Short mmCIF file of all heavy atoms in Angstrom, two decimals:
data_model
loop_
_atom_site.label_atom_id
_atom_site.label_comp_id
_atom_site.label_asym_id
_atom_site.label_seq_id
_atom_site.Cartn_x
_atom_site.Cartn_y
_atom_site.Cartn_z
N PHE T 3 51.79 -2.83 24.17
CA PHE T 3 52.88 -2.39 23.32
C PHE T 3 53.04 -3.24 22.08
O PHE T 3 54.09 -3.23 21.44
CB PHE T 3 54.21 -2.35 24.10
CG PHE T 3 54.24 -1.19 25.04
CD1 PHE T 3 54.07 -1.38 26.39
CD2 PHE T 3 54.39 0.10 24.54
CE1 PHE T 3 54.07 -0.30 27.24
CE2 PHE T 3 54.38 1.18 25.40
CZ PHE T 3 54.22 0.99 26.76
N LEU T 15 58.10 -18.33 9.41
CA LEU T 15 59.34 -17.85 8.81
C LEU T 15 59.80 -16.51 9.37
O LEU T 15 60.87 -16.03 9.03
CB LEU T 15 59.16 -17.73 7.29
CG LEU T 15 58.93 -19.04 6.55
CD1 LEU T 15 58.68 -18.77 5.08
CD2 LEU T 15 60.12 -19.96 6.73
N THR T 67 42.05 8.52 18.19
CA THR T 67 43.18 7.70 18.62
C THR T 67 42.77 6.24 18.47
O THR T 67 41.59 5.91 18.49
CB THR T 67 43.55 7.94 20.08
OG1 THR T 67 42.44 7.56 20.91
CG2 THR T 67 43.92 9.38 20.34
N THR T 73 39.03 -1.68 17.06
CA THR T 73 38.49 -1.44 15.73
C THR T 73 37.75 -0.11 15.72
O THR T 73 36.86 0.13 16.54
CB THR T 73 37.52 -2.56 15.32
OG1 THR T 73 38.22 -3.79 15.33
CG2 THR T 73 36.95 -2.31 13.94
N VAL T 147 48.07 -14.85 -8.42
CA VAL T 147 47.67 -14.39 -7.10
C VAL T 147 48.78 -14.62 -6.07
O VAL T 147 49.10 -13.75 -5.27
CB VAL T 147 46.36 -15.10 -6.67
CG1 VAL T 147 46.04 -14.79 -5.22
CG2 VAL T 147 45.21 -14.67 -7.57
N TYR T 161 62.06 -12.20 1.57
CA TYR T 161 61.82 -13.60 1.23
C TYR T 161 62.29 -13.88 -0.19
O TYR T 161 62.23 -13.01 -1.06
CB TYR T 161 60.31 -13.89 1.28
CG TYR T 161 59.76 -14.24 2.63
CD1 TYR T 161 60.15 -13.54 3.78
CD2 TYR T 161 58.82 -15.26 2.77
CE1 TYR T 161 59.62 -13.86 5.01
CE2 TYR T 161 58.28 -15.58 3.99
CZ TYR T 161 58.68 -14.88 5.12
OH TYR T 161 58.16 -15.18 6.32
N ALA T 170 52.49 -17.53 0.76
CA ALA T 170 51.22 -17.06 0.20
C ALA T 170 50.18 -18.17 0.25
O ALA T 170 49.01 -17.93 0.58
CB ALA T 170 51.43 -16.57 -1.23
N MET T 176 44.80 -19.92 5.25
CA MET T 176 44.41 -19.31 6.52
C MET T 176 43.15 -18.45 6.37
O MET T 176 42.33 -18.39 7.26
CB MET T 176 45.55 -18.42 7.00
CG MET T 176 45.87 -18.52 8.46
SD MET T 176 47.49 -17.78 8.73
CE MET T 176 47.16 -16.06 8.51
N MET T 202 43.00 -10.40 -0.84
CA MET T 202 43.47 -9.07 -0.43
C MET T 202 43.80 -9.05 1.05
O MET T 202 44.79 -8.46 1.48
CB MET T 202 42.39 -8.01 -0.69
CG MET T 202 42.30 -7.53 -2.11
SD MET T 202 43.81 -6.75 -2.64
CE MET T 202 43.96 -5.45 -1.43
N ALA T 208 50.01 -10.34 5.31
CA ALA T 208 51.25 -11.10 5.08
C ALA T 208 52.36 -10.68 6.03
O ALA T 208 53.05 -11.51 6.59
CB ALA T 208 51.69 -10.94 3.63
N MET T 238 41.19 -12.85 12.43
CA MET T 238 42.58 -12.48 12.20
C MET T 238 43.03 -11.48 13.25
O MET T 238 44.16 -11.51 13.73
CB MET T 238 42.74 -11.86 10.81
CG MET T 238 42.44 -12.82 9.68
SD MET T 238 43.78 -13.97 9.48
CE MET T 238 42.92 -15.51 9.49
N GLN T 239 42.11 -10.56 13.60
CA GLN T 239 42.46 -9.57 14.61
C GLN T 239 42.70 -10.23 15.96
O GLN T 239 43.61 -9.87 16.69
CB GLN T 239 41.33 -8.54 14.72
CG GLN T 239 41.64 -7.42 15.71
CD GLN T 239 40.52 -6.41 15.79
OE1 GLN T 239 39.34 -6.78 15.73
NE2 GLN T 239 40.85 -5.15 15.90
N ALA T 245 45.17 -3.49 15.03
CA ALA T 245 44.02 -2.58 15.05
C ALA T 245 43.39 -2.57 13.67
O ALA T 245 44.05 -2.88 12.68
CB ALA T 245 44.49 -1.18 15.41
N GLY T 275 32.83 8.48 19.22
CA GLY T 275 32.63 7.88 20.54
C GLY T 275 32.71 6.38 20.45
O GLY T 275 33.00 5.82 19.40
N ALA T 277 31.10 2.57 20.38
CA ALA T 277 29.92 2.09 19.66
C ALA T 277 28.67 2.32 20.50
O ALA T 277 27.62 2.72 19.98
CB ALA T 277 30.08 0.61 19.33
N ILE T 285 24.71 12.26 20.06
CA ILE T 285 24.40 13.63 20.43
C ILE T 285 24.50 14.59 19.25
O ILE T 285 24.33 15.78 19.42
CB ILE T 285 25.30 14.11 21.60
CG1 ILE T 285 26.78 13.95 21.26
CG2 ILE T 285 24.96 13.35 22.88
CD1 ILE T 285 27.72 14.46 22.37
N GLY T 291 19.99 11.72 12.14
CA GLY T 291 19.38 11.63 10.81
C GLY T 291 19.73 10.32 10.12
O GLY T 291 18.87 9.69 9.49
N THR T 301 9.02 -6.91 13.19
CA THR T 301 8.02 -7.86 12.73
C THR T 301 6.64 -7.47 13.24
O THR T 301 5.68 -8.18 13.06
CB THR T 301 8.34 -9.29 13.19
OG1 THR T 301 8.62 -9.25 14.58
CG2 THR T 301 9.53 -9.84 12.45
N ALA T 358 25.79 20.30 21.62
CA ALA T 358 26.25 18.97 22.03
C ALA T 358 26.16 18.75 23.53
O ALA T 358 25.97 17.63 24.00
CB ALA T 358 27.69 18.75 21.56
N PRO T 361 21.63 19.00 27.44
CA PRO T 361 20.79 17.81 27.59
C PRO T 361 19.35 18.04 27.15
O PRO T 361 18.70 17.13 26.62
CB PRO T 361 20.88 17.46 29.07
CG PRO T 361 21.52 18.61 29.73
CD PRO T 361 22.24 19.42 28.70
N ARG T 367 14.98 14.92 20.99
CA ARG T 367 15.29 15.00 19.56
C ARG T 367 16.02 13.76 19.08
O ARG T 367 15.86 13.34 17.95
CB ARG T 367 16.12 16.25 19.28
CG ARG T 367 15.29 17.52 19.44
CD ARG T 367 16.09 18.74 19.04
NE ARG T 367 15.27 19.94 19.12
CZ ARG T 367 15.06 20.62 20.23
NH1 ARG T 367 15.60 20.22 21.36
NH2 ARG T 367 14.30 21.69 20.23
N GLY T 378 14.23 3.05 29.19
CA GLY T 378 14.63 4.41 29.49
C GLY T 378 16.05 4.48 29.99
O GLY T 378 16.39 4.02 31.07
N ALA T 388 15.35 9.19 34.03
CA ALA T 388 15.49 8.66 32.68
C ALA T 388 14.14 8.36 32.05
O ALA T 388 13.14 8.19 32.73
CB ALA T 388 16.31 7.38 32.74
N ALA T 393 8.61 15.13 24.20
CA ALA T 393 7.63 16.06 23.69
C ALA T 393 8.28 16.97 22.67
O ALA T 393 9.50 17.01 22.56
CB ALA T 393 7.06 16.90 24.82
N LYS T 416 17.15 29.53 23.45
CA LYS T 416 18.29 28.86 24.07
C LYS T 416 19.57 29.14 23.27
O LYS T 416 20.63 29.33 23.82
CB LYS T 416 18.02 27.36 24.13
CG LYS T 416 18.87 26.69 25.18
CD LYS T 416 18.40 25.28 25.42
CE LYS T 416 17.07 25.22 26.15
NZ LYS T 416 16.17 24.24 25.57
#
Side-chain angles (χ1 to χ4, degrees):
Chain T
F3 287 104
L15 295 176
T67 63
T73 300
V147 172
Y161 275 43
M176 223 164 72
M202 280 298 302
M238 295 285 129
Q239 183 180 38
I285 55 178
T301 49
R367 290 185 177 83
K416 201 169 289 136

